[in-house]
C-alpha cells in the first residue's frame, strides 16, 4: 500500500477503534460490575444469557456485512433498508420460539431469557445502519454510532444493577437502550447522496439509442477510460473537468469511480473463470451490456439487486405483484449465507460459556465466565481492522492485499493483547473481587484464545466479502469437536480453557491457510478492459 493511501486507512482505523473500544470498554465494565454485584452465585446466569444474546446478534452482524458489501457493489440504500426490516421481523419470530428452549436448556429464568432475546431485533436494525455507514466509508459517523450504541446498551443495565435489580431487569434495560440506539443510528446514517449503482437489468426505451457509458454516469460526451492503476488503486476517472478534491461533487465522482472499478473488475474475474472452465468468454457486446447496466440511484432499478442470479428479474413484467414479493424475500438469502458464517464464529467463541454451566459447579462457572472477559477483550480489540478493510475485501482488484493486511495486523495485535493480559493479571482481583483470584494466572490463556479467534474472524470476513461462505464448514466442524470434548472430558477451569484454545488454534490455522492459498491462486488484475464509447 502506498504512503498516500496508508494515511487515510490509519485514520479510519483510529476512528473506528475509538468507537468500538468505547462500546467494548462499556461492555467489560458491565460484566465486571455485574460479577461483583450479583456475586459468584448469580453472575453465571447473567453471563450465560449475555453469551446467548451474542449468538442472537449473529444475523445483525451478517446483515451489516451484506449491506456494506452490496453498497460497495452499487446496491441502493432504500432496498438495503427494506432488507433490514425483513431480517428484523424474521429474527423477532425466531426469538419468540427460542425463549422456552433456552430457558429449559440453561436453567435460567423465563423473564431474564425473554429480555436477553428480545434485544435481537433491535440489534438487527442498528447493524443495518452500521452497514450503510461502513459500505459508504463514512467511518467517522460509524465510530460515533458504535460508541453510542455500546453506551446506550450498558448504561441502563448498570443503573438497574446499582439499584439492586437482578439479571432480568438489567437485561431488559439493556434491550431498551439498544432500541434507542437503533433510532439514533438511523438518524446519523440519514439519506446518503445518490451514487452510481449496478443494476442487474434495465428498462430501455426501444426508440432511444443506448447512452454512452460516460453519458450514463456524468452526462458528458467524454468517454470513461480506466487504466490499470485506476482499476486497482486510488486513481480517478477523467471526466473532462477539474474538481476540488474536497467538494461533494468530487466525493460523488470518487464513489462513482469505485463502483465502476468494482463492476469492471468483477466482470474481468468472471471472464477468467469462464475461460478456465472452457466456457464462453465475454465479448465486446457483453462489455457494452455491462456498461449499459450502470445507472444513477433513484432511476428505475430492479428490486432484486441483492440477488443478481435471480431469474425473477426476467419475469417481473409477467407477474409484477408476485415477482416483487418473491424478489423482496429472496434478498434475505445473502444475509442467511453470511449469517451461517457469523453463527459458526460466534458459536465457537461462546460455546464454552454455555457448556460451563453443564459441567462445572456454580462458583467455578462464574470464575470461568469472568475469565472470558480477557478473551472477549482480545477478540474485539482489533475489530476496527475488519471494519475498515472489509470494503476493500469486497472489491476484486483490492481483495487479496486487503486479506493479507488484515490477517497480519490481527496477528500482531493479538500478540500485544496476550502480553498485556499476562502483565495485568495481578490486578484482576482488585477489580472483580478476591473470589476470582484462582483464575488470574490463566488470564493470558483466555486472551490467547480470544486473539486466535480474532484472526479467524478476519479470515471469515474475507470469505463473506467475496461470497464464498462454504468455508464456514471448517468452523462448524471445530465447534462440534470443541463441544464434544468439553462435555466428555473437561471438569475444571484449566481443562475447559485449554480445550477451547486448542480447538480455536487448529480451526484458525486451517481456515487461514485455505483463505491465503485461494488468494494466491487468484489472477492479479494487471489490466482492465477499458469501457468503450
Amino acid at each position: 500500500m502506498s504512503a498516500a493511501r496508508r494515511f487515510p486507512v490509519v485514520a479510519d482505523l483510529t476512528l473506528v477503534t475509538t468507537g468500538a473500544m468505547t462500546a467494548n470498554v462499556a461492555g467489560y465494565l458491565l460484566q465486571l460490575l455485574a460479577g461483583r454485584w450479583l456475586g459468584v452465585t448469580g453472575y453465571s446466569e447473567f453471563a450465560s444469557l449475555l453469551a446467548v444474546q451474542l449468538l442472537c446478534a449473529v444475523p445483525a452482524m451478517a446483515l451489516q456485512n451484506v449491506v456494506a458489501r452490496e453498497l460497495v457493489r452499487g446496491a441502493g440504500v432504500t432496498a438495503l433498508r427494506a432488507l433490514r426490516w425483513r431480517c428484523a421481523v424474521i429474527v423477532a419470530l425466531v426469538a419468540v420460539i427460542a425463549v422456552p428452549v433456552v430457558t429449559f436448556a440453561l436453567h435460567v429464568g423465563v423473564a431474564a431469557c425473554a429480555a436477553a432475546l428480545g434485544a435481537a431485533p433491535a440489534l438487527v436494525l442498528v447493524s443495518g445502519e452500521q452497514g450503510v455507514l461502513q459500505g459508504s466509508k463514512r467511518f467517522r459517523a460509524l465510530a460515533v454510532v458504535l460508541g453510542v450504541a455500546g453506551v446506550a446498551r450498558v448504561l441502563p443495565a448498570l443503573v438497574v444493577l446499582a439499584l439492586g435489580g437482578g439479571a432480568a431487569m438489567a437485561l431488559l434495560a439493556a434491550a431498551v437502550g439498544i432500541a434507542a440506539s437503533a433510532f439514533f443510528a438511523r438518524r446519523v446514517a440519514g439519506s446518503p447522496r445518490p451514487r452510481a449503482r449496478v443494476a442487474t437489468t434495465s428498462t430501455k426505451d426501444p426508440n432511444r439509442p443506448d447512452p454512452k457509458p460516460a453519458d450514463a454516469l456524468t452526462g458528458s460526451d467524454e468517454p470513461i477510460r480506466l487504466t490499470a492503476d485506476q482499476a486497482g488503486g486510488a486513481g480517478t476517472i477523467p471526466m473532462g473537468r477539474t474538481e476540488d478534491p474536497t467538494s461533494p461533487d468530487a466525493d460523488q465522482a470518487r464513489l462513482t469511480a469505485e463502483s465502476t472499478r468494482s463492476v469492471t473488475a468483477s466482470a474481468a474475474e468472471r471472464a477468467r473463470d469462464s475461460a478456465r472452465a472452457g466456457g464462453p468468454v465475454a465479448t465486446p457486446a457483453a462489455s457494452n451490456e455491462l456498461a449499459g447496466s450502470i445507472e444513477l440511484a433513484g432511476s428505475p432499478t430492479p428490486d432484486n439487486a441483492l440477488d443478481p442470479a435471480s431469474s425473477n428479474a426476467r419475469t417481473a413484467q409477467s407477474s409484477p405483484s408476485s415477482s416483487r414479493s418473491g424478489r423482496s424475500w429472496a434478498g434475505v438469502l445473502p444475509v442467511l449465507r453470511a449469517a451461517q458464517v457469523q453463527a459458526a464464529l460466534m458459536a465457537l467463541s461462546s460455546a464454552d460459556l454455555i457448556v460451563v454451566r453443564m459441567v462445572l459447579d456454580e462458583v467455578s462457572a462464574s470464575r470461568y465466565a469472568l475469565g472470558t472477559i480477557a478473551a472477549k477483550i482480545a477478540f474485539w480489540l482489533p475489530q476496527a481492522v475488519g471494519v475498515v478493510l472489509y470494503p476493500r475485501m469486497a472489491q476484486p482488484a483490492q481483495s487479496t492485499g486487503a486479506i493479507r493486511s488484515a490477517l497480519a495486523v490481527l496477528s500482531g495485535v493479538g500478540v500485544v493483547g496476550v502480553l498485556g493480559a499476562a502483565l495485568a493479571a495481578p490486578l484482576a482481583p482488585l477489580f472483580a473481587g478476591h473470589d476470582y483470584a484462582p483464575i488470574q494466572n490463566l488470564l493470558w490463556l483466555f486472551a490467547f484464545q480470544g486473539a486466535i479467534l480474532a484472526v479467524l474472524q478476519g479470515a471469515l470476513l474475507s470469505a463473506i466479502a467475496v461470497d464464498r461462505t462454504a468455508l464456514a464448514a471448517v468452523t462448524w466442524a471445530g465447534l462440534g469437536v470443541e463441544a464434544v470434548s468439553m462435555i466428555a472430558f473437561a471438569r475444571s477451569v484449566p481443562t475447559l480453557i485449554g480445550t477451547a484454545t486448542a480447538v480455536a488454534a487448529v480451526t484458525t490455522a486451517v481456515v487461514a491457510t485455505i483463505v491465503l492459498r485461494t488468494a494466491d491462486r487468484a489472477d492479479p488484475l494487471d489490466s482492465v478492459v477499458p469501457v468503450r464509447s
Side-chain angles (χ1 to χ4, degrees), residues 100-118:
V101 177
V102 174
T103 300
F104 175 78
L106 299 185
H107 307 289
V108 296
V110 176
C113 184
L117 295 179

Side-chain angles (χ1 to χ4, degrees), residues 52 80 160 207 220 234 250 298 302 342 348 363 411 511 513:
V52 172
L80 294 173
V160 169
N207 297 321
S220 170
Q342 292 284 4
L348 187 63
V363 173
S411 299
V511 171
T513 299

Side-chain angles (χ1 to χ4, degrees), residues 475-494:
T475 309
W476 285 116
L479 173 64
V481 171
E482 178 179 275
V484 171
S485 300
M486 286 181 171
I487 294 174
F489 305 110
R491 293 297 180 270
S492 65
V493 171

Side-chain angles (χ1 to χ4, degrees), residues 52-67:
V52 172
Q53 191 177 77
L54 181 61
L55 292 179
C56 291
V58 164
M61 291 182 286
L63 176 66
Q64 177 176 341
N65 290 328
V66 170
V67 168

Side-chain angles (χ1 to χ4, degrees), residues 54-465:
L54 181 61
L55 292 179
C56 291
V58 164
M61 291 182 286
L63 176 66
Q64 177 176 341
N65 290 328
V66 170
V67 168
R69 181 186 71 197
E70 298 303 328
L71 194 60
V72 167
R73 295 179 177 180
V77 174
T78 300
L80 294 173
R81 281 179 169 151
L83 174 64
R84 177 193 66 155
W85 281 106
R86 291 194 292 273
C87 291
V89 171
I90 293 174
V91 168
L93 294 175
V94 173
V96 171
I97 298 172
V99 168
V101 177
V102 174
T103 300
F104 175 78
L106 299 185
H107 307 289
V108 296
V110 176
C113 184
L117 295 179
L123 287 171
V124 170
L125 298 178
V126 174
S127 293
E129 296 303 327
Q130 291 176 175
V132 171
L133 295 172
Q134 182 183 4
S136 57
K137 299 183 181 179
R138 297 164 59 193
F139 294 114
R140 185 185 300 274
L142 177 60
V144 172
V145 170
L146 286 172
V148 170
V151 173
R153 168 178 172 264
V154 169
L155 187 58
L158 285 178
V159 171
V160 169
L161 290 173
L163 295 176
M169 290 302 298
L171 290 169
L172 178 61
V176 172
I178 294 172
S181 67
F183 287 100
F184 176 79
R186 177 64 179 84
R187 187 173 184 82
V188 171
S191 300
R193 292 168 58 89
R195 58 170 293 177
R197 63 175 287 152
V198 181
T200 55
T201 61
S202 60
T203 303
K204 299 180 180 179
D205 184 350
N207 297 321
R208 180 182 178 183
D210 291 339
K212 297 178 182 180
D215 295 338
L217 289 173
T218 67
S220 170
D221 291 334
E222 288 294 325
I224 295 175
R225 306 183 187 279
L226 296 181
T227 65
D229 291 338
Q230 291 167 346
T236 59
I237 297 180
M239 294 186 179
R241 65 179 187 268
T242 302
E243 292 284 3
D244 177 2
T246 63
S247 69
D249 290 339
D251 182 61
Q252 174 63 25
R254 283 192 294 271
L255 291 175
T256 298
E258 289 175 6
S259 294
T260 306
R261 286 195 297 271
S262 180
V263 172
T264 311
S266 298
E269 187 175 25
R270 287 195 297 271
R272 286 196 301 270
D273 293 340
S274 180
R276 293 192 196 102
V281 180
T283 63
S287 298
N288 291 335
E289 181 180 356
L290 172 66
S293 69
I294 303 177
E295 56 188 40
L296 293 180
S299 58
T301 55
D303 293 338
N304 67 330
L306 295 181
D307 191 5
S310 173
S311 62
N312 289 336
R314 299 179 180 86
T315 60
Q317 293 181 348
S318 62
S319 180
S321 177
S322 60
S323 296
R324 186 179 300 111
S325 176
R327 289 195 305 270
S328 296
W329 289 101
V332 176
L333 295 179
V335 180
L336 294 179
R337 289 197 297 269
Q340 63 95 16
V341 179
Q342 292 284 4
L345 176 66
M346 292 299 103
L348 187 63
S349 67
S350 303
D352 54 343
L353 266 176
I354 296 175
V355 173
V356 70
R357 286 182 60 84
M358 304 177 184
V359 298
L360 297 183
D361 60 81
E362 193 76 17
V363 173
S364 296
S366 291
R367 287 171 176 163
Y368 187 93
L370 198 73
T372 59
I373 295 178
K376 301 307 179 188
I377 292 175
F379 179 59
W380 294 111
L381 178 65
Q383 178 185 11
V385 176
V387 171
V388 172
L389 293 179
Y390 183 83
R392 290 178 56 204
M393 292 180 187
Q395 294 180 343
Q398 303 179 25
S399 180
T400 300
I403 292 170
R404 289 187 173 280
S405 297
L407 296 183
V409 174
L410 290 170
S411 299
V413 174
V415 172
V416 175
V418 173
L419 292 176
L423 294 175
L427 301 177
L430 298 178
F431 292 99
H434 291 284
D435 288 336
Y436 298 97
I439 64 167
Q440 73 178 54
N441 293 329
L442 294 173
L443 290 181
W444 72 270
L445 189 56
F446 281 99
F448 187 38
Q449 182 217 14
I452 293 172
L453 290 173
V455 177
L456 177 61
Q457 182 182 42
L460 291 177
L461 273 178
S462 70
I464 296 175

